[in-house]
Amino acid sequence: MGADPRLYVALDLPSTQQALEMVEILDDDICAYKIGLQLLPVGGMELAQVLKARGKAVFLDYKLHDIGATVQKAVASIAPMGADMLTVHATPDVMSAAVKARAEHSLKIMAVTVLTSLDDHALRKIGFAMSAEELVLHRVKQAVEAGVDGVIASPLEACKIRALVPDGFLITTPGVRMSDGDKGDQKRVSTPRQAFKNGASHIVIGRPITQASDPKAAVGAILDNIRAG
Ligand code: C5P
C-alpha cells in the first residue's frame, strides 16, 4: 500500500533514536512526519534534516508564541533548514512576523487556532467568552488577513473554515481517531475519512499509531479508512 502525503504521523517519542525506529517500522507506508516539542530539545532539528534527506515531508510543530520580533528571528533561523510546515499560535502579530521571516523559503506557516484538547468548558475556565468554534472562526479570519498558509484546527471545524478561506488554504487537523479508538486527551475528534470530507487538506495522527502494538497495521487501517471514502 502506498503512502498518502496528506497523512502526517506525530513522532511524539522520547528520543530521536526511538523516532527513527518508528520511521523504519512504518517504512514506505508513511511519507510525512511531525516533530513536536518532545523531540525539539533532544535533536529534533537534526532529525528533521535526516528525514528530509530520506525524502520525507517534515512538519515542525513548535507552536511559536512570543513577541513579534522574537518570532521573526526564530522563523528566520528555521526557514532555511528545509522543513515543510511550522506552527505558530494564531495571534495577529505572531502570524505576521512568521510570514515576513519565512520570506522566499518554501516553509508553510500554519497557525494553531484552538488546541483540540480544549472544549468550550475548558476555554471558559481559562477566561475566554467565546465558544471553541467561535474562537476558531475568529482566528481563521485573522490568519487569512495575516497571510499564513493554513491553520491547525479540529476536524469538526474544518467544514466551516473551508467556507471562510481562499482556495489552496491548508487545513491540518489533529484530533483524528478511528471510531473504535481511544480519544485520550483529544476532545474534538473525527475519523480520518470524515476529516477529509470536512475539508481538511492534511491530518495528523500520533498515539493511535506510535503507541499501537502493531504500528504498521494501525497505519494500514487508517489508510483503508481514508481510501474507503
Ligand atoms: O497522539 P495524537 O494523535 O493525539 O497527536 C496529535 C498531535 O497533534 C500531537 O502532537 C499534538 O501536540 C498535536 N496538536 C494537537 N492539537 C492542536 C495542534 C497540534 O493535538 N491544535
Side-chain angles (χ1 to χ4, degrees):
M1 192 184 307
D4 186 323
R6 302 172 302 167
L7 168 61
Y8 277 82
V9 172
L11 290 171
D12 293 326
L13 294 163
S15 69
T16 53
Q17 192 192 326
Q18 277 161 281
L20 282 170
E21 281 166 15
M22 185 55 59
V23 172
E24 294 290 337
I25 291 170
L26 300 177
D27 195 26
D28 286 344
D29 289 351
I30 292 293
C31 62
Y33 287 97
K34 182 173 90 71
I35 296 172
L37 294 177
Q38 189 175 9
L39 284 175
L40 171 63
V42 291
M45 290 310 290
E46 291 76 10
L47 176 65
Q49 316 257 279
V50 171
L51 293 179
K52 285 305 295 179
R54 292 188 187 186
K56 307 290 186 190
V58 173
F59 171 6
L60 300 175
D61 187 15
Y62 295 165
K63 298 188 179 69
L64 303 182
H65 195 184
D66 206 320
I67 59 169
T70 302
V71 169
Q72 198 174 325
K73 287 180 204 153
V75 175
S77 298
I78 292 170
M81 300 179 84
D84 299 271
M85 287 189 203
L86 170 71
T87 46
V88 303
H89 275 274
T91 313
D93 56 339
V94 168
M95 293 188 286
S96 305
V99 169
K100 190 169 172 195
R102 176 269 312 275
E104 79 283 0
H105 296 285
S106 57
L107 180 71
K108 304 277 189 216
I109 303 295
M110 304 294 294
V112 178
T113 54
V114 177
L115 295 174
T116 45
S117 56
L118 297 175
D119 59 11
D120 293 349
H121 175 71
L123 286 174
R124 258 197 314 279
K125 249 178 117 178
I126 299 170
F128 284 101
M130 288 184 189
S131 68
E133 186 180 296
E134 284 166 343
L135 187 55
V136 167
L137 298 179
H138 176 70
R139 287 184 164 168
V140 165
K141 286 180 201 149
Q142 293 181 324
V144 171
E145 278 163 27
V148 299
D149 301 286
V151 291
I152 312 294
S154 141
L156 302 184
E157 286 122 21
C159 212
K160 291 196 171 148
I161 293 173
R162 266 284 156 244
L164 292 178
V165 299
D167 284 352
F169 195 79
L170 305 178
I171 303 175
T172 297
T173 68
V176 175
R177 292 290 180 267
M178 298 295 272
S179 48
D180 55 353
D182 175 13
K183 278 165 66 174
D185 51 1
Q186 296 286 11
K187 296 198 169 122
R188 306 192 327 274
V189 302
S190 86
T191 62
R193 180 173 45 193
Q194 192 61 44
F196 288 122
K197 268 196 184 154
N198 289 359
S201 56
H202 300 84
I203 60 173
V204 173
I205 305 183
R207 291 161 292 181
I209 295 171
T210 56
Q211 306 300 315
S213 51
D214 184 346
K216 215 170 157 63
V219 166
I222 289 163
L223 292 175
D224 283 348
N225 177 273
I226 295 170
R227 285 166 188 164

